[in-house]
Amino acid sequence: MYSIILATASRYLLLLLLMFSVFLLFRGHNEPGGGFVGGLVAAAAYALYFIANGIEAARTIVRFEPIMIIAAGLCTAVASTLPSLVVGKSFMTAVWVDTGIPFVGKVGTPLLFDLGVYFLVLGITLCIIFSLAEEDRL
Amino acid sequence: MLVLLAIGYCASALAPLLYKRFRENFGWIAVIFPLFMFFGLLTRYPQIAAGQVIRESVPWVTSLGVNFSFFLDGLSLTFSLIITLIGAAVFLFAGAYMKSYAQTGRFYLYIGIFMTSMLGLVLSDNMLLMFVFWELTSISSFLLIGFNYHKESSRKSALQALLVTVGGGLALLSGIILLYTVTGSYEISSFYDKSEMITAHALYPAVVVLVLIGAFTKSAQFPFHFWLPNAMEAPTPVSAYLHSATMVKAGIYLIARMNHEIGGTPLWQDTILITGAVTMLFSAILAFKQTDLKRLLAYSTLSVLGTLVMLLGIGSKLAIKAFFIYLIAHSLYKGALFLVAGTLDHETGTRDVRKLGGLYKLMPVTALTAALASFSMMGVIPLIGFIGKETVYKSILELEYWGAFLIAGAVLAYALVVMVTVYVGFKPFWGSMLPTPRQPHEAPVKMLVGPGVLAIMGLLFGLFPNFFIAAMLEQSAQSILSETISLKISLWGGFNLVLFLSFLTLMLGAVFYLIREKVPGGVLRVSLPGIVRPSVWYETAINGVLSFARLQTRLVQNGYLRNYIIFFVVTTVSLVSFPLYRSAEQVTMVPDFSITFYEGALACIILVSTLLLVTSKSRLKSIVALGVLGFSIGIIFVIYGAPDLGLTTFAIETLNVVLFVLVLYKLPGFLKLSGSLNRARDAVIALCVGCMMTLTVLFASSFELSSALKQFFAETSFPDGKGRNVVNVILVDFRAIDTLGEITVLTVAALGVFALLNLRPGRRK
Amino acid sequence: MIEILSGAFLLLGTLFILVSAIGILKMPDLYTRMSATTKASTLGIGLVLIGTTVYWQDIGIGFRAVAIIIFLFLTAPVAAHIIGRAAYFGKVPLWEKTKIDQFKERVDDADR
Amino acid sequence: MSKIIMLPILFPVCAALIMIFFRRSVAMHRILNVAATASMLVVSLVILGSVRSEGILSLQVGGWEAPFGITLVADMLSSIMVVSAALIGFTTALYSLGTIDEEREHFFYYPLLQLLLMGINGAFLTGDIFNLYVWFEVMLISSFVLLVLGGRPQQLEGAIKYVTLNLLSSSVFLAAAGILYGTAGTLNMADLAMRIPLLDHRELLSVVAVLFLITFGVKAAIFPLFFWLPASYHTPPVAVSAIFAGLLTKVGVYAIMRFFTTIFTHDGVSFIHQVLLVLSAFTMVVGVLGAVVQYDMRKLLSFHIISQIGYMIFALAVQSPLAIAGALFYIVHNIVAKTNLFYLSGLVHRLKGSWDLREIGGIYRFYPMLGLLFLVPALGLAGIPPLSGFWAKYVVIKAGIDSEHYLLVGVALGVSMLTLFSMMKIWNEGFWKNDPRGEGSVEDEGYLRTPTMKKAVTLVPIIMLGFLTVMFGLWFEPFFEFADRAAYELLDVYNYIDAVIGGRS
Amino acid sequence: MNPFLFNILLAIAWMLLVGDFTAGTFTLGMVVGYLILWFSRSAWRETKYFSKIPLVIKFVLYFLKELLVANLRVAFDIITPKDYMEPGVIAFPLDVKTDIEITLFANLVTLTPGTLSLDVSPDRKTLYVHALYVKDAVGFCDELKEGLEKRLIEVMR
Amino acid sequence: MTFLLAVIVGALYAAGTYLVLRRSIVKVIFGLIFLGHAANLMIFTVGRLTKGVPAFVPEGAEILTEPFADPLPQALILTSIVIGFGVQAFALVLFKRAYLTLGTEDLDKMRSTDQLPEERL
Amino acid sequence: MTFIEWSVDISVIIIGLSILVIFLRLVIGPSIEDRIVSLDLLSANAIAFIAVYSIQKKTTTFLDVGIIVALLAFLGTVAFAYYLGRRGRE
Ligand code: NA
Ligand code: NA
């Protein structure tokens, strides 16, 4: 059931949604949002793209194996717990960099952690959806 | 003594290896082991005879009062010597006998373990330690009875013996623990002075019953006797050793050992007296119809075991004296006869007495051994068996009330034993030659030495009783009665009532033999009704348990998921309802009833879509309803100050829809599967759950909640957590490890979905 | 003044929303319901959002409102299209008073 | 020093992470898996050692003091459990090398194993109730996936029951945690232990306590909440069954232990002890009766798990220091023996090609050492001295007699008879009986052809655990000392509170 | 559209979202936008950038007028009891060619109340439209062609 | 509203329970989802309702002052929602595979793993 | 009560009413497409409600929720349509 209208719209919506997801991610520490919702919205973007354009197109555009995205996310999240050990604090203690950046605010390991969560959530959702979609084709 | 036992176990463990190395002459090597122990123990004889008690204690589980504490007194020495001596005979005998079996190495392993454990049992001062050895003997007995494991009957008998003895062992264990409760110790030697305290304790009857159950099962007393004849499935050396000379005497040892400490009361004495007497008579009668050599011997053993227990029950000085003499006499002659039976079996290939006869010419040494042992068993002067029988009769006759009955029973039982002896000891050798499956000839030396020595010892002990055993027996008796006994044993007591009874016994035995010879075969096949046969009780119990188990399992684990869930739900509701009811009393504040219009609308939508979903017959309609539900809940979150929750709910609900859509069209439409009765039942259950949860929520929110956490987060979120969104700060900082776990869950779920869809039978990637 | 303007926007918007709600209940078939209502509600929401922006007078809010409006105007017609098409292919009946149906031939062709 | 207690959680996740990254390199997975579990074992032993010498260790994760952040606590109980988990993890890692097919290895078998261990360790170490929920979920989902990995029909069917019932229990857990926060205002176990006695509306906490009992009861597989276990445990590869059998139910028992000795001790919950007593009797009996009728080795062993849980619950319900120590020792003994039996059943299956005792036989004759290796855990499980199970049974029964629960002691003893009966059923049918299909059947040869290395890695765990069963029995005193100390720690809550709230980090 | 321009647009959109117009935000927006574009670059084959701002504004105004009028008309129909509807499904021959043009056109048609784009034929030559007020098919098509489609083509090309 | 929410929670629990007791696997899934919703809503309600005041530290302020909604239950629910999402997704796929592999959606026909030895074919 | 407060209150009620009406259509159907359209419309109304509610409660944080609802409701609708499309095909 390919539809030009949906396919075309989905390409633009993809960008908007991804952008919004990043927005949610970075802003989550101060306002509603965060890694989870960000990741979910990003996944929703790709899900939309997949429904409109099919699974191959979606895979092409995601470019990475979802499982690798999961691994990257988990890696980031786990890595964010390590600086605390380097500086000799208790496990998972937040470590903050002195200078903040605009909009995002203070930069520190919790942000990194949230980033990991973002990728992880994106990865797992994609992994599930893509697996289902591919099974479906066979 | 610990060292002795350790050596014993090590030696046993080496047996299979050594067997591989030596094979042919292993019997001669193996015999070193029990002989070493025998003589090792014998060196202590002078000390013991002088009235010393040798003690030894190595800490084990001190905090529970369990130690490797041993003591060697007259009683344990008597038993140890019997164990090792007969052990030696059997080890040697088996060297030849077991040649036809595979895996003789394993046989020596087990029997070595058994002997060591048996020694440990009689040497232990600590009751729990004794129990450890007790169980080890049961296990090694199991392995030995089942030595011919390819035969179903062997396996069954082994299991039967194991269950009965271990079951009794459990009773014993509880008895031991109760005894600890009473005395605060497991050390038998510490009970010595506490006898009165123990017998006066409220738990005393329980202790007696439990300990006696343990003893009776092990010593095959009625009604637990049935496993012993079945245990004759074991190779003959095993029967000779475990099931006649030693293991079955463990229970008797226990009764003797505890006689002073927890005995002396009518409960104790009467119980063992009656049980012993019943066993004595009952099993002798059962022996009447046996035709198998070993089973004949087994029933006679039972009868003797009964007699021994009965003697302890009588408990007089004379009875104790009789007990010891008879104990030794029986061990010697029964060991010998069993081995002879083994020889016959080995040489002729049959154990059916009806098929044996006239072997004297072919097997003269065996025949002589058999004759010697048989005379002892029949109680013919001048063998020790005679002294044994005389003392038994004497001690029974001393009894005031029971005496008359008991003596009649004893004579009857003894007469039957005499009949058995004739069958086992004489019939195969004398009379006319009968054809046998194998061509018999005289047994090899290894098979002759053991029984020969035992039989000769029977003669020697009979002739010079005081020289050999009196001193030791005095000490033994002391440990039973705790008073000094002078044991002067004399072979000849003069012409008196007892001698007459002995004579009567022999005559009666002859009569029984003749009757047995003349009766038609059919009579032998007549069996008692099941109700009076404990072996049938055992079968019934096992089958009963099995069929109950089957019924129960089919009922409970029936495969219906919803039944499982009903169990779960009903358990929950019924357990919760009790404290919930009580907590209703503590409710003080009425919950907030105020409702705005949009809240009402929202609630209405939630309830209706719930109903819609529950009653829906279309899958897609259900998903739509689920979507509405999820979004409404999201809105509730938003209204009550949880925008992050709202966001997440919306996102997840939407993705859920996507997943459902991807999955669901492969799934079937809804069918109405349950009947209306089921549905009504489920509805009632569901409503109960609903009410329970509603009430819980109402009660739980009916008072002010003061949470230090809420305040802490409010105050530290921005200054320390560097974030204004408190919820997010909690997620990535305050409780970040929760989040770590949570993303792990997601990771695994994704891997799971991936694997589930890509790795499956018939699909390669 | 601002508040009055904002309130007016809100009321107008909600009015459109109500109309579309009534429309979806009242219209005779799926296509007419969709045709009539999706845009009315889109318009209504747009108006409400404008009212909100006016109320807050905050540029951030304003752009968020604009973002929603743009997004709605982008997605609403696509959604309507895709459902309408699915409905048509799924044989959801047209209102019996529908005059012309030039789509039918092609769908029938595709079926054959 | 206390920082070390996060390692049992951190190691597995790191190992899993690396494995997922290098998905294709199965050889690396294997090595890493063994290495990670081995180092976890070392770390857990170090933890146990330092708990023994320094007392309870606590780590305030994120540096937020208790009760505001989440605290990881290693007391004697937790450390013992973590050591057990690491031990079973390690042996299963080895055993898997010899038994798991390459397909499963490719589909994340090893990372899943690691994450399962992560969940289990987390559950043992956390001092926060909601965090416990999270670790339970980690454990649960890993077990779901391990259970279905391979996708055979039986697996799927078993998994449906396993998943559904466990999800129900999770939902109850969640509700209970929520109500607990709503009534007590905190989730930290030590804080709860401190606050609950002071609260006015304690009755409501009894409701919460019951809900926790239900949810942990499902995990622990007590009557009548155990149905998921026999329905599913025999379906996955035996290495998976083994680690499930050894560890998963014990986490439930651990939680019951923790909750009803540390947190819920007010008088309102005393009826729960009565309930537990009754349930424990049913659990023992129903479990063992289920076992005696089975012919599938794994099913038989699965039902036994339930029965043995009954003993642990019985001891817990008695609640004397001796009983708690006994329960703890029982847990450890059971973990070792039960896992070993599952390993062995796998080996038997490998040899004979069937799980059904009626179809196989003759193992003892040709593989006597295997017979010995079987007898050790089997008799150990049945409580035959001097193996570990004897002491476990003894202590539990002693505690029962001391507290005068004679009826239950009787039940426990009867059940131990039936346990022996069913163990000997395996022995009689599988080991003693001749193979009904004749000796030296094809499967035997198949086994003989497996590379020595693979045989070795399957045998080493069996020997290790068998050795432990013997060691526990012969050298009981030092092990019991640990259990005893754990029991005293548990019953004296103030130690725990002091270590957590006292702010040592 | 030129990816670079699109990147800038995305950065601006970012600033709008953030509600902060500093260089820092813009830079971050550029970075985010670039990542997104790079991440999804295979979706982009075309197209050219347009600069007909006045035309666009004119078009938007026209469209808003249409929207409002049509909305009112339908609203009237809804709130009055009597139905004035004469619905029909029309095959509309398309002059617009590219994906984006077709999509925009179809969406605008849908947005105007009373009309609903049902489908585009596989050969992209026909748009099937459901309309509430169809006097006759040809008249309807002409009206749409002269009005919306023509203006859209003006803007797009 | 606490009262109303309590009723809703009860209704969701009841519906979830009813659904997991069905024989069709699809309904069981719906039941599980219901129970998840119910539990979340329950935590939310029991954690006390505070209307319209989310837990955000206002711009310019250092700390958050009452009244505000308790953020902790929210964080807990968030965690449980996400966990529930993962677990439900897995369960959904599992149920689908089970249906396709076993060829039935009727749970009463999925009993082979529980059958006693003599009942097996 | 100022005008804005009054109009907000009125708006909330009107939106609530519309939501109920749309929900009624969702319940009665009859076609599944009707329900999907109603669902889509419901989420649109939710956005409006959130916007008005943010004025009522004087908090801006809720508006972001509106964006999410707008974005995601569309995905939901598309997913349903996808399902319908597949159903039609098979
Ligand atoms: Na957040
Ligand atoms: Na719309």
Side-chain angles (χ1 to χ4, degrees), chain B residues 575 578-579 582, chain D residues 196 202-203 205-210 213 259-261 263-279 313-314 316-319 405:
Chain B
L575 283 182
F578 174 58
R582 286 202 310 202
Chain D
I196 286 180
R202 282 193 296 272
E203 282 306 325
L205 287 164
S206 311
V207 175
V208 179
V210 169
L213 178 69
F259 273 59
F260 291 95
T261 55
I263 301 173
F264 297 113
T265 49
H266 59 284
D267 4 308
V269 295
S270 58
F271 81 98
I272 289 183
H273 294 294
Q274 304 303 315
V275 170
L276 276 179
L277 280 175
V278 175
L279 292 186
I313 301 297
F314 171 42
L316 278 182
V318 168
Q319 279 252 320
H405 292 104

Side-chain angles (χ1 to χ4, degrees), chain B residues 550 562 564 640 682 724, chain F residues 1 22 58 108 114 118-119:
Chain B
R550 212 165 286 128
R562 58 214 161 90
Y564 301 166
Y640 287 95
D682 296 346
R724 297 188 179 278
Chain F
M1 186 63 182
R22 300 301 87 211
D108 280 12
D114 273 332
E118 59 269 21
E119 287 171 348

